[in-house]
Amino acid sequence: MASDPGRVLIFDTTLRDGEQSPGASLNLEEKLAIAHQLTRLRVDIIEAGFPFASAGDFNAVQRIADAVGTPEGPVVCGLARATRGDIKACAEAVAPAARRRIHTFIATSDIHLEHKLRKSRPEVVEIAAEMVAYARSLVDDVEFSCEDAGRSDPDYLYEVIEAAIGAGATTINIPDTVGYTTPAEFGALIAGIDRHVPNISQAVISVHGHNDLGLAVANFLEAVKNGARQLECTINGIGERAGNASLEELVMALHVRRSYFNPFLGRSAGSTQPLTGVRTEEIAKTSRMVSNLTGMAVQPNKAIVGANAFAHESGIHQDGVLKNRLTYEIIDARTIGLTDTRLSLGKLSGRSAFRARLEELGYSLERGDLDDAFARFKELADRKREITDRDLEAIMSDQAQQSEALYTLKLVQVSTGTNLQPTATVTLISADGAELTEAAIGTGPVDAVCQALNSLARVPNELVEFSVKSVTEGIDAMGEVTIRLRHQGVLYSGHAADTDIVVAAAQAFVNALNRLLQGSERPPLHPQMAPLSVGDIPLADRPRV
Ligand code: KIV
Ligand code: ZN
C-alpha cells in the first residue's frame, strides 16, 4: 500500500497550471497575494510556478518560497521538466522555503513518446530515474509525474513508477493530462498502481486531472477511494483548456460527504476529524481573489463558489428553506466564508483602523503600499457611505494589479448623453514619468475611453470581453469591470473596481494593456512542450526577460 499521510493532502497548482489558462497570466504582486491567501486557506503544497520558463517566473517562485515557506507554512514546490537545467533552476528557486519540493515530470504514453519526445520506453525509464536521482541530490522532497498517465499502458506505468521511487521520488503523481478517463477507469488505474508497484509504500500517490469531459473532480474522488492521498487542483478549477479539478469542489465534497469517504481512509464512518487540512471559511474569499486577479469570471452556476450556488429561486424551494434549511441546502454558506457582507469602515475611520481591518482580512502592507491603499480608501469613502470587506478586497486586488505598471491612469473624463457624440479624454503617466493625453470619440463612453487609450498605447489589439458586475448591493456600490484583449492570438486580461464604471473600465483597460505590453516582451515557454533535448539544458540557456 502507498504511503499514507493520514489525510488527503491538497496540492494547489493555481499559480502554475492555473496560470496556463489563456489570459490568466499574473504579475509578481498578484502571485504573492494569491500565495498568501492559499497559505491562509491552509493548502498543504503550493506549486508556485515553472522556474525555468523565464527570469520573471524564477523570481516569482523564489519570492513566494521566501514569503510563505515558513516551517509552519505550506510546502513550496516548483515544476521542472526531466532535464538538469529545469531541475537546477527549480532547486534554486524553491531554496528559500523551509519545506521545498521539486516536481519533475516526463510523458509516459506511447502517443507522447512517439510524437513529442521521440524516445523509446526504456529511454524514458532511464531518464526518469536519472532526473529523479538528480533532484533528490538537491532536495529531500521530490515529486515525479508520468505525464498523460491516463492514456499510458498501465504495465509500463508500473515500471516507470518503480524506477522513479527507486531513485528517490517521495510522491508519485498520476495525471489525466487530457481529461480522457472516466471515474471507474481512473480509480482502477490508482488501485492497480497501489497493487502492482513493489516499492509503492515509499511514496504518496497523487492525482492531477483536467476537465475536458467535466469528470476531473469525480475522477479524483474515485482515486481517493483507491489510495490516492494528494489531490492537485486549482481555485475555481482554472487551468489549461477546460481547466483542472476544482479545489473548492473537492474539499467540500470530502467535507460534506465525510461519512461516506471516512472508511476509505481507515476511519469509522462517524469520525468528525476533517479529511483535508483546508480552512473552508477561506474558500469564498480565495475564489474572489483568483477570479479578480486572473480576470477569469466564475460562472454563476458553478458548484460551491458560483453566485447562484446558495440562491433559491423557486417558490417551493424558498418555502422549504424558510421552514428548515436542510430541505434544500446541503452546505451552510458560512462554511465557505459567505457571511452577510460586514460593515467595516466609514468616512471617519482613521489609518490605524484601516490597517487593522486589512490585517484581520489577511493583508499586511509595507508603508508605501499602505499609504496608496489608504488614499484609495479615503477617496472611495467620499463617494460611498459604507465601506465593506468586499470593497477593501477590491481595493487590494486593484493595487496588486497596478504594481509593475508601464502606464498609470491619471485622468479620465467623458461627455455622453442623448444627442451627444460620446467623447473621452484620458491621461496616462508612462514609466519614465511623461504625461500623455489623448481624446477620442466612440459609440459609447467606454468605447471612447478605449479608443483614446489605444491611440496612446499604439499596440494593435481586439477587445474580446467586457463585463461589469457590482461588488456589493446598493446604488453607490462599486462596479467591477473585467476586460480581455487579444494581441497576436494571445489573451490578456485586466480588472478594476470603482463607483464609476467608466473609470473602472478605463483602469481595467490600462491594466490589460500593461499586461499585454509586458507579456509580449517575454517569449513564453510552456512546461509541457518537449525540451530541445531531453538530456541536459545548461542554466545559462534559460530564457531571460
Ligand atoms: O496535466 C499535466 O499532465 C501536468 C503535468 C505537468 C503534471 O500539468
Ligand atoms: Zn496539468
Side-chain angles (χ1 to χ4, degrees):
M1 258 208 1
S3 167
D4 189 352
R7 62 182 156 99
V8 178
L9 302 177
I10 297 297
F11 175 114
D12 180 277
T13 183
T14 306
L15 294 172
R16 198 278 296 170
D17 213 321
E19 213 214 0
Q20 288 174 214
S21 315
S25 64
L26 298 160
N27 70 29
L28 176 61
E29 279 312 306
E30 294 165 336
K31 287 183 185 176
L32 280 166
I34 292 176
H36 279 293
Q37 181 55 31
L38 292 172
T39 306
R40 281 189 288 275
L41 183 66
R42 299 222 184 111
V43 302
D44 298 283
I45 302 111
I46 294 180
E47 185 163 55
F50 171 41
F52 191 81
S54 69
D57 289 74
F58 179 91
N59 187 35
V61 176
Q62 199 171 44
R63 290 284 304 278
I64 291 169
D66 188 44
V68 303
T70 60
E72 311 73 43
V75 172
V76 179
C77 170
L79 183 70
R81 294 169 300 177
T83 72
R84 281 182 189 269
D86 276 37
I87 291 171
K88 185 161 185 285
C90 187
E92 284 173 21
V94 296
R99 299 192 299 141
R100 47 191 174 267
R101 175 181 296 186
I102 294 176
H103 174 192
T104 188
F105 72 99
I106 192 162
T108 49
S109 67
D110 288 334
I111 301 178
H112 278 238
L113 262 61
E114 189 182 331
H115 300 287
K116 181 172 102 165
L117 299 177
R118 295 177 206 282
K119 297 275 168 200
S120 66
R121 285 184 174 195
E123 280 174 311
V124 166
V125 176
E126 199 185 316
I127 293 165
E130 195 185 323
M131 290 303 123
V132 167
Y134 176 55
R136 254 322 276 271
S137 73
L138 304 172
V139 295
D140 292 336
D141 184 349
V142 174
E143 172 169 334
F144 173 73
S145 284
C146 313
E147 191 191 10
D148 205 17
R151 291 188 300 170
S152 301
D153 169 5
D155 288 329
Y156 177 58
L157 265 188
Y158 306 153
E159 196 188 324
V160 181
I161 294 170
E162 184 181 355
I165 296 175
T170 43
T171 300
I172 292 294
N173 185 38
I174 306 301
D176 182 15
T177 302
V178 291
Y180 178 73
T181 60
T182 64
E185 284 170 342
F186 202 55
L189 182 64
I190 302 304
I193 290 167
D194 205 20
R195 198 171 322 119
H196 296 294
V197 175
N199 51 3
I200 197 69
S201 63
Q202 294 164 39
V204 170
I205 300 181
S206 165
V207 287
H208 177 108
H210 287 266
N211 214 17
D212 300 66
L213 296 175
L215 295 173
V217 167
N219 284 348
F220 278 29
L221 295 175
E222 214 49 37
V224 167
K225 287 163 61 181
N226 286 285
R229 290 293 176 269
Q230 176 180 289
L231 307 181
E232 300 202 354
C233 43
T234 59
I235 302 295
N236 301 337
I238 63 170
E240 194 76 41
R241 303 184 310 282
N244 286 69
S246 133
L247 181 147
E248 57 280 3
E249 292 175 24
L250 288 165
V251 167
M252 290 312 292
L254 292 172
H255 178 78
V256 173
R257 301 304 312 277
R258 199 162 43 211
S259 55
Y260 173 75
F261 287 102
N262 272 336
F264 296 102
L265 277 91
R267 304 176 182 187
S268 70
S271 166
T272 53
Q273 203 191 335
L275 283 169
T276 73
V278 166
R279 286 187 62 209
T280 58
E281 314 79 59
E282 291 289 329
I283 284 178
K285 182 177 168 205
T286 316
S287 163
R288 286 195 298 268
M289 179 187 277
V290 169
S291 172
N292 288 347
L293 296 181
T294 57
M296 306 268 302
V298 174
Q299 77 200 52
N301 59 326
K302 162 92 175 58
I304 316 296
V305 291
N308 296 349
F310 293 93
H312 299 282
E313 189 66 21
S314 101
I316 298 171
H317 287 204
Q318 287 170 353
D319 180 56
V321 167
L322 286 174
K323 287 177 176 141
N324 184 333
R325 303 199 80 84
L326 293 178
T327 49
Y328 289 101
E329 262 183 26
I330 57 162
I331 305 172
D332 181 337
R334 285 171 299 189
T335 319
I336 63 154
L338 280 178
T339 46
D340 292 339
T341 323
R342 195 176 141 183
L343 171 62
S344 149
L345 299 165
K347 195 176 167 145
L348 300 176
S349 307
R351 208 182 139 85
S352 43
F354 175 70
R355 181 194 203 134
R357 187 66 202 133
L358 280 186
E359 276 170 7
E360 276 163 32
L361 289 174
Y363 300 100
S364 60
L365 298 182
E366 305 284 328
R367 198 191 159 85
D369 290 340
L370 183 68
D371 291 347
D372 291 349
F374 188 60
R376 183 80 208 284
F377 159 72
K378 280 290 184 189
E379 196 193 306
L380 181 63
D382 278 339
R383 285 181 281 146
K384 190 171 186 292
R385 204 162 41 89
E386 296 168 347
I387 310 279
T388 64
D389 290 347
R390 295 285 298 276
D391 295 320
L392 294 181
E393 281 175 21
I395 291 179
M396 297 315 298
S397 290
D398 278 7
Q399 190 148 325
Q401 244 182 112
Q402 282 161 40
S403 74
E404 300 175 24
L406 293 175
Y407 289 114
T408 2
L409 182 68
K410 181 170 178 206
L411 170 131
V412 49
Q413 231 167 30
V414 291
S415 66
T416 188
T418 40
N419 304 326
L420 261 184
Q421 173 98 62
T423 312
T425 307
V426 296
T427 302
L428 293 179
I429 313 271
S430 65
D432 57 10
E435 266 198 23
L436 312 160
T437 298
E438 188 64 73
I441 53 172
T443 52
V446 172
D447 183 45
V449 165
C450 298
Q451 303 283 357
L453 289 169
N454 269 334
S455 326
L456 289 176
R458 290 200 206 141
V459 49
N461 66 73
E462 183 196 346
L463 180 69
V464 292
E465 187 187 319
F466 173 82
S467 66
V468 190
K469 70 177 193 316
S470 78
V471 174
T472 50
E473 281 154 19
I475 193 71
D476 62 352
M478 287 217 275
E480 283 183 313
V481 174
T482 301
I483 274 178
R484 272 140 99 73
L485 304 178
R486 189 170 15 230
H487 169 72
Q488 295 179 342
V490 181
L491 289 174
Y492 299 91
S493 68
H495 175 94
D498 199 282
T499 48
D500 182 326
I501 61 151
V502 177
V503 174
Q507 185 61 63
F509 200 85
V510 172
N511 291 345
L513 280 176
N514 278 327
R515 275 201 178 142
L516 187 164
L517 293 164
Q518 279 154 345
S520 52
E521 281 168 13
R522 185 176 68 174
L525 177 59
H526 193 286
Q528 284 162 273
M529 73 180 224
L532 300 175
S533 119
V534 182
D536 205 353
I537 297 184
L539 197 59
D541 289 350
R542 192 190 321 143
R544 306 256 161 214
V545 284

